[in-house]
Amino acid sequence: MYWRGSPYEERQAFLARLDGVAVGRCSLTLPLSENTDEAGIEILVASAHRRQGIGTAMLGRMESLARERGRTVFDSYCGEPIGSFPEGAPELAAKSGTGGVPREAASTGFALRHGYSLEQVETTSLLPLPVPSGLLSTLERDALEHARDYKLLLWQDRCPETVVEAYAALKSLMTTEVPIAGLGWEGERWDVARVRAEEDTWCKSGIESLVAVARHDGSGELAAYTVLNHRAALPGIVNQEDTLVAPGHRGHRLGMLAKIANLRRAQLQWPDAKSVMTWNASENRHMLAINIALGFRPAGIEGEWQKRLE
Ligand SMILES: CC(C)(COP(=O)(O)OP(=O)(O)OC[C@H]1O[C@@H](n2cnc3c(N)ncnc32)[C@H](O)[C@@H]1OP(=O)(O)O)[C@@H](O)C(=O)NCCC(=O)NCCS
């Protein structure tokens, strides 16, 4: 379902074959509502077939398809697990000023060779499950001290009709509030239809989703939200999706409180899950601090590469 795209994003996926054997795959993602000058490109070459120009051929094809659609900004990301390079291996620093990627990685050589620059680096972190209940209770006690004027609202898969408009507004904020370094992306406009379209796609793709929202008692405003996703097809992994505390409601430990509630539910709902994965901009110190307190440990880094046509 995901690959069929949506009214907001067109997706195309390709397989590269050599003498009938699959040697690589690549994809093109074209935003349709905002960022309509941008294309997301992914390239993967099977390890036995690298350094033969296959990656270059696929990238050339993706870039020309993107250009035909009027796209002039190409974005690509690539992850490297921790331990794939020795500690202290030379790094290429991100233009954002925080973090770097191993200079010797194939993706680094390939991206630089094709005129991409390293705008930002994300940290991939992993939280082993279950999280000790004593740790969750301690963190929760502290958070509640700061969050007396808020209550949590929880749902699964489908946002209640009564708050869906306010939830859409929070999802718009998410796209302007996360650090994006010099990537220059426009914020997304989320409305009820877009929230429902995402929920439908997830549901049809076999993704279950747990959402925890903090609501301010006095104003009734939605102040924070966090989302965990799980697929029965990959039962061991839970993916941490968005977490946001709206400006004006920060400093009340709402990110921590919402995450604790969601983790507790995830452990009950998905007992086969062994870990939660999350991705944060390396400069996003506040989010990383919450994750570290919960027990997340660095698992890798991900380079956010970009090429802009003049
Ligand atoms: C990166 C990747 C796509 C390259 O595919 P490939 O088919 O091996 O690449 P090509 O043969 O077209 O290489 C083109 C140029 O990229 C650079 N390059 C590719 N692999 C490299 C490596 N391991 N080290 C340094 N430079 C490298 C070189 O300049 C190379 O030219 P050369 O062989 O004449 O020196 C492949 O290694 C891969 O799938 N890696 C895992 C996924 C990934 O990193 N995707 C890219 C996201 S940005």
Side-chain angles (χ1 to χ4, degrees), residues 59 87 298:
L59 181 64
E87 214 168 301

PDB file of all heavy atoms in Angstrom, residues 59 87 298:
ATOM      1  N   LEU A  59      21.182   5.907 -10.338  1.00  0.00           N
ATOM      2  CA  LEU A  59      21.041   7.289  -9.872  1.00  0.00           C
ATOM      3  C   LEU A  59      20.753   8.222 -11.059  1.00  0.00           C
ATOM      4  O   LEU A  59      19.884   9.100 -10.982  1.00  0.00           O
ATOM      5  CB  LEU A  59      22.315   7.735  -9.139  1.00  0.00           C
ATOM      6  CG  LEU A  59      22.273   9.148  -8.580  1.00  0.00           C
ATOM      7  CD1 LEU A  59      21.202   9.279  -7.494  1.00  0.00           C
ATOM      8  CD2 LEU A  59      23.634   9.555  -8.003  1.00  0.00           C
ATOM      9  N   GLU A  87      36.288   2.779  15.776  1.00  0.00           N
ATOM     10  CA  GLU A  87      36.174   4.061  16.469  1.00  0.00           C
ATOM     11  C   GLU A  87      37.339   4.945  16.060  1.00  0.00           C
ATOM     12  O   GLU A  87      38.467   4.461  15.915  1.00  0.00           O
ATOM     13  CB  GLU A  87      36.213   3.813  17.985  1.00  0.00           C
ATOM     14  CG  GLU A  87      35.337   4.789  18.730  1.00  0.00           C
ATOM     15  CD  GLU A  87      35.155   4.364  20.166  1.00  0.00           C
ATOM     16  OE1 GLU A  87      34.638   3.238  20.377  1.00  0.00           O
ATOM     17  OE2 GLU A  87      35.562   5.138  21.016  1.00  0.00           O
ATOM     18  N   PRO A 298      22.920   4.558  21.235  1.00  0.00           N
ATOM     19  CA  PRO A 298      23.213   4.786  19.819  1.00  0.00           C
ATOM     20  C   PRO A 298      23.386   3.466  19.075  1.00  0.00           C
ATOM     21  O   PRO A 298      24.037   2.551  19.584  1.00  0.00           O
ATOM     22  CB  PRO A 298      24.530   5.568  19.835  1.00  0.00           C
ATOM     23  CG  PRO A 298      24.655   6.106  21.218  1.00  0.00           C
ATOM     24  CD  PRO A 298      23.906   5.183  22.126  1.00  0.00           C
TER      25      PRO A 298
END
